[in-house]
Amino acid sequence: VPVALLIDGHCHVIRAGDLDRAEFELACGEADLPAPAGVSYLDSQLGLAIRRWCAPVLGLPAHASFDDYLARRAELGWSAASAALIGAAGLAALLVDTGLDVPDVVGMAQLETIAGAPVHEVVRLERVAQDLMGRVDAAGFAEAVAAALASRASDAVAVKSIIAYRYGLDIPPQRPSPAEVVEAAGRWFRTGGRLTDPVLLRHVLWAGVDTGLPLQLHTGFGDRDVRLSRADPALAREFLEATVASGVPVVLLHAYPYHRNAGWLAQVYPHVYLDLGLTVGHLGLRADSVLGEFLELAPFGKLLFSTDAYQLPELYLVGATQFRHSLRRLLDGWIADGALRPADAGRITEQIGAANARRVYGARLGRSAG
Ligand SMILES: [Zn+2]
């Protein structure tokens, strides 16, 4: 089954500059604290996958040690190593969530040069709202959110919500009333801090729906900031019910370990899609089994490839290569069983890898954002 270029439907920017071993190791997973003595985050499924898939791209034998790998990476320099690693991922386009606040990252134009593929912006809703702090009054908040989104969304291919992080997916489905929004905005502007007020989060989420752009919704695991049990996409059922008539595509990101719940949602709601990012890249060899679970209930036209790569260029390559490898192994098994023909396997591979993304995210894909 030939695998063409992939559209990376959800990823982030990479760090600019050479990383020491401790920084590299922390960037390899969702932990933000160093591992305890005697434990390395590199001694893991993702570590094995990096040694297997990335070492040969930097001119080393597969499974070279991390000492050798990091020495080779430093010798090449972060920029050349990044271009080699992301280039080898075979991406047709990158949809980049620009809402994270981290120092020392490359800009979008620089990422486009390094990746050798068009990059497109996904606007993070909570970030747009946060940027209004101190610039508008409570009475003008709702209008300012709409105006800021209209301006940001004119160049974006999607919006994204992290309400699962800031509150949880168990939200009342309806829009808050204008009076509720003014009152909550007044409270937030007096106390300051991160946007965690459930009324404002719901308002901003609906403002995202109003843009008409596909809405990416963080679900499932992530860093330790997320209350995992409240990130089960099944909890968003009332919201999905309330948005089905809008026709706005809702793309459930990550989902793991609730990806089977997400598969059911993708089956019963015409506007719900399921993104494979983060999960497949981080599971290494186990991606074979979990990909099989993603392909249980969800129609194949509802599944979208992504890497969710962040900070490290390795995560683009591992995400893309492990996906291709695991999907091929899965579908080869189905062919051997007589469940489908090679032509069907090729069509499913093309759908998940790029065709579904082109349909959901639209004609802007593939055109340079710069
Ligand atoms: Zn992400």
Side-chain angles (χ1 to χ4, degrees):
V1 176
V3 182
L5 295 179
L6 303 171
I7 292 177
D8 191 345
H10 171 64
C11 58
H12 305 270
V13 290
I14 58 169
R15 292 272 289 274
D18 292 308
L19 305 180
D20 64 26
R21 187 179 177 120
E23 290 172 315
F24 183 89
E25 184 163 339
L26 260 193
C28 270
E30 292 295 339
D32 63 336
L33 297 173
V39 176
S40 166
Y41 295 133
L42 300 177
D43 190 20
S44 65
Q45 286 288 354
L46 182 59
L48 292 176
I50 290 174
R51 289 171 57 203
R52 178 183 191 179
W53 303 121
C54 300
V57 171
L58 299 192
L60 297 170
H63 310 296
S65 72
F66 269 109
D67 283 346
D68 291 347
Y69 181 81
L70 293 172
R72 175 73 181 137
R73 201 179 189 277
E75 186 185 18
L76 288 167
W78 71 272
S79 181
S82 297
L85 291 163
I86 304 180
L91 302 176
L94 288 70
L95 276 61
V96 180
D97 169 7
T98 52
L100 279 164
D101 245 338
V102 280
D104 308 324
V105 292
V106 302
M108 291 282 274
Q110 199 178 0
L111 181 62
E112 188 163 85
T113 304
I114 290 171
V119 301
H120 302 278
E121 186 178 15
V122 175
V123 172
R124 195 184 278 210
L125 296 170
E126 293 80 6
R127 175 63 185 269
V128 170
Q130 191 85 43
D131 288 347
L132 295 174
M133 168 77 78
R135 294 173 46 202
V136 296
D137 61 14
F141 178 75
E143 205 175 315
V145 167
L149 272 176
S151 130
R152 294 291 306 279
S154 64
D155 288 328
V157 291
V159 293
K160 177 189 174 187
S161 168
I162 55 162
I163 194 169
Y165 267 91
R166 297 299 177 80
Y167 179 77
L169 294 171
D170 46 340
I171 47 166
Q174 67 274 24
R175 294 167 188 265
S177 72
E180 285 177 301
V181 173
V182 173
E183 195 214 324
R187 211 163 43 228
W188 181 42
F189 289 164
R190 280 193 302 277
T191 55
R194 286 207 314 186
L195 177 59
T196 55
D197 181 281
V199 170
L200 295 183
L201 288 167
R202 266 163 61 214
H203 173 74
V204 170
L205 185 63
W206 277 101
V209 172
D210 291 342
T211 66
L213 289 171
L215 170 67
Q216 296 187 338
L217 195 58
H218 175 102
T219 70
F221 83 124
D223 62 42
R224 69 180 167 132
D225 213 16
V226 75
R227 280 172 290 183
L228 186 57
S229 62
R230 296 182 68 178
D232 180 346
L235 295 172
R237 182 191 161 273
E238 317 302 320
F239 173 72
L240 298 174
E241 194 72 38
T243 50
V244 67
S246 74
V248 167
V250 177
V251 181
L252 306 174
L253 300 179
H254 317 327
Y256 182 86
Y258 306 112
H259 50 289
R260 285 174 144 162
N261 298 9
W264 168 71
L265 292 166
Q267 183 183 89
V268 298
Y269 289 104
H271 66 317
V272 173
Y273 294 81
L274 180 49
D275 182 284
L276 312 170
L278 195 58
T279 303
V280 169
H282 282 241
L283 294 179
L285 188 64
R286 290 287 301 153
D288 291 16
S289 302
V290 176
L291 255 181
E293 293 170 358
F294 269 100
L295 271 70
E296 284 171 352
L297 283 184
F300 306 135
K302 291 297 197 84
L303 294 166
L304 301 161
F305 164 79
S306 84
T307 62
D308 201 9
Y310 173 46
Q311 303 198 69
L312 297 182
E314 280 82 358
L315 300 180
Y316 290 92
L317 181 60
V318 167
T321 311
Q322 190 67 55
F323 165 75
R324 288 186 169 100
H325 180 80
S326 292
L327 186 61
R328 189 173 57 239
R329 277 168 53 89
L330 185 70
L331 295 177
D332 281 352
W334 293 5
I335 293 168
D337 189 49
L340 42 58
R341 299 164 303 163
D344 298 311
R347 183 178 47 78
I348 292 169
T349 301
E350 174 57 22
Q351 278 179 292
I352 302 175
N356 293 340
R358 286 192 203 285
R359 201 176 64 251
V360 172
Y361 296 113
R364 282 171 175 169
L365 283 196
R367 192 150 47 76
S368 169

